[in-house]
Amino acid sequence: MNRSLRPVAPLFVTLVALAACSAPGDSGSDDTKSDSGPIKIAVVDARSGQLSSLGDWEWKGAKLAVDEWNEKGGIDGRKIQIKSFDDQGDPTIGTNLARKIADEKYIAMIGTAESAVTIAMAPALKQAKIPNITSGQADALVEQKSEFLFLNGPTSTTYDTTLAKYLIQDKGFKKIAMITNNGSFGKGEHDAFSKAAKDLGITAVTDQVVTTDQKDFSAALGTIRSKKPEVIFIGSEEVEAGLIVKQARDLGITAPFAGAAPQGTPVFIDTAGKAAVEGTIVSSPYLGNDTSPAAQKFAAAYKAAYGEDAELHGAKAYDGTNILLTALKSSGVATGKELADAIRATKYDGLLGQFSYGADGVGITKTSIGVIQDGKLVAQK
């Protein structure tokens, strides 16, 4: 062995180790552009378990956007590569996936649809300087104060302020019952709606909180029934919300339910049953596939690709992915903080409305009211 080469080895090993530990957004120089080759984007959602329908819709919306860009040549001649990661709706698994995504040099992330998982992942993604466009809506997402975290839809405050104004001011309801779960989504909905209602002079006649894994709601619903509410606010994800409504109808409760994004989905309707959800009032930024020419075009492409109808979560992921890809294009495929800044600077006319991001990572602050009629969500005239 040539002894003159031996002192170089430790230095080489040190440099390799440092390079392996660097985050996707850390280039060690002023160069914040990714290398040549495929542009790697992670899509993280529940692909198994009770929340898997959310992950399926998200993946399909994101993939449709990526496929459309790739068919036009990608970005600067580079193909966009996405991969699905299953967080199983578990914050701990999400945290581990955040580290994995950083280790595998993904430069951005779409997802999750579960606020609790997104919140758990946020610190690791911030440290790795990986921009994340999430479909979560809990106000706690904004409280993370991460310059790398963006929402592709409104917060619970927007959803529930719109809903409270409609129920109290437009419909004149005074006796409102509440049933929410104790997860991040449910707590966000509970706090946002109860505040909005109180600001309008209404306090719930009963405020029932259930657990995220609960299956029997008879005790909470019995209390609600005894209060004879005019309307029932529900803050729970699709499957649990559907079970609550189904059991409420079995107990003879006839008051309409009202809620946000989950109550406008096919899973909620199918779980509760078409008759049980008739008249449900929904606050949403996307009230259906016929609301605009852009929605019709998206829905047709979604149907052609997957053989099923599009809905809100697919539309949100489609919008979020297009915003990310637009920012990548405008920034010359930047990474890290430069990419985050490019996302924040992006103005986008999406399916959910006009996106314009503020420092808080919220890009859209408007929803509309829809009602479920004959098994479909339709805009309230």
Side-chain angles (χ1 to χ4, degrees):
M1 177 182 291
N2 188 336
R3 292 178 182 272
S4 67
L5 296 179
R6 292 181 66 184
V8 179
L11 177 60
F12 175 75
V13 171
T14 300
L15 290 173
V16 170
L18 288 172
C21 293
S22 65
D26 295 333
S27 62
S29 70
D30 292 334
D31 180 10
T32 57
K33 303 296 188 293
S34 69
D35 297 329
S36 59
I39 300 166
K40 294 176 65 175
I41 299 170
V43 181
V44 181
D45 275 299
R47 302 307 305 274
S48 58
Q50 184 167 292
L51 300 176
S52 61
S53 57
L54 299 180
D56 186 52
W57 293 325
E58 289 259 314
W59 169 253
K60 288 172 178 174
K63 186 176 185 301
L64 181 61
V66 167
D67 287 346
E68 290 175 350
W69 278 71
N70 279 336
E71 286 170 6
K72 297 175 182 176
I75 298 175
D76 296 341
R78 297 170 59 185
K79 289 294 183 182
I80 304 144
Q81 182 182 93
I82 59 170
K83 181 178 178 180
S84 174
F85 294 85
D86 182 8
D87 63 44
Q88 300 176 41
D90 186 323
T92 300
I93 292 174
T95 300
N96 292 333
L97 285 177
R99 300 189 185 104
K100 180 180 177 67
I101 288 166
D103 289 343
E104 295 184 2
K105 306 300 180 185
Y106 286 85
I107 66 171
M109 174 182 140
I110 299 296
T112 68
E114 315 104 41
S115 295
V117 179
T118 300
I119 290 167
M121 297 179 73
L125 294 174
K126 180 178 180 179
Q127 183 177 18
K129 299 182 180 178
I130 299 175
N132 172 204
I133 300 183
T134 176
S135 286
Q137 68 185 59
D139 290 297
L141 292 162
V142 175
E143 295 166 9
Q144 300 306 301
K145 298 186 183 303
S146 171
E147 65 269 41
F148 295 94
L149 182 58
F150 302 87
L151 279 64
N152 62 19
T155 63
S156 290
T157 291
T158 296
Y159 278 98
D160 297 330
T161 299
T162 301
L163 183 61
K165 287 179 178 178
Y166 176 77
L167 297 177
I168 296 168
Q169 294 182 335
D170 295 353
K171 299 294 290 183
F173 292 138
K174 291 182 172 53
K175 295 182 66 177
I176 301 176
M178 294 178 61
I179 181 166
T180 58
N181 71 34
N182 62 357
S184 290
F185 173 78
K187 186 179 185 308
E189 289 295 285
H190 172 279
D191 294 351
F193 184 81
S194 58
K195 181 182 184 305
K198 286 179 182 177
D199 288 346
L200 295 171
I202 298 295
T203 299
V205 294
T206 183
D207 184 353
Q208 298 294 309
V209 178
V210 300
T211 64
T212 55
D213 59 354
Q214 197 164 326
K215 297 294 186 292
D216 182 357
F217 307 98
S218 55
L221 291 171
T223 301
I224 289 173
R225 181 176 59 184
S226 70
K227 300 296 183 180
K228 298 184 167 95
E230 298 168 286
V231 65
I232 304 166
F233 173 79
I234 185 167
S236 183
E237 293 84 351
E238 285 80 355
V239 173
E240 184 176 68
L243 292 174
I244 289 171
V245 173
K246 184 177 186 303
Q247 291 178 31
R249 300 308 184 218
D250 290 343
L251 287 172
I253 297 172
T254 59
F257 281 83
Q263 283 66 62
T265 64
V267 169
F268 167 72
I269 295 170
D270 292 343
T271 303
K274 182 178 172 181
V277 301
E278 184 73 10
T280 297
I281 302 163
V282 181
S283 174
S284 175
Y286 187 82
L287 292 178
N289 299 326
D290 297 319
T291 54
S292 70
Q296 292 171 351
K297 182 179 178 182
F298 161 71
Y302 191 99
K303 183 86 171 208
Y306 308 118
E308 61 187 53
D309 291 333
E311 51 67 68
L312 169 65
H313 293 85
K316 289 174 76 175
Y318 182 84
D319 272 353
T321 304
N322 272 305
I323 290 168
L324 170 61
L325 299 180
T326 299
L328 282 165
K329 176 70 174 177
S330 67
S331 66
V333 194
T335 62
K337 187 176 184 303
E338 187 177 337
L339 176 55
D341 290 343
I343 293 170
R344 191 168 289 105
T346 298
K347 310 298 181 186
Y348 181 74
D349 186 6
L351 299 170
L352 274 65
Q354 295 283 343
F355 284 83
S356 180
Y357 283 101
D360 59 0
V362 178
I364 192 165
T365 57
K366 181 180 178 181
T367 64
S368 300
I369 297 297
V371 177
I372 296 178
Q373 295 178 353
D374 196 26
K376 293 184 178 180
L377 180 62
V378 298
Q380 180 65 25
K381 303 298 184 183

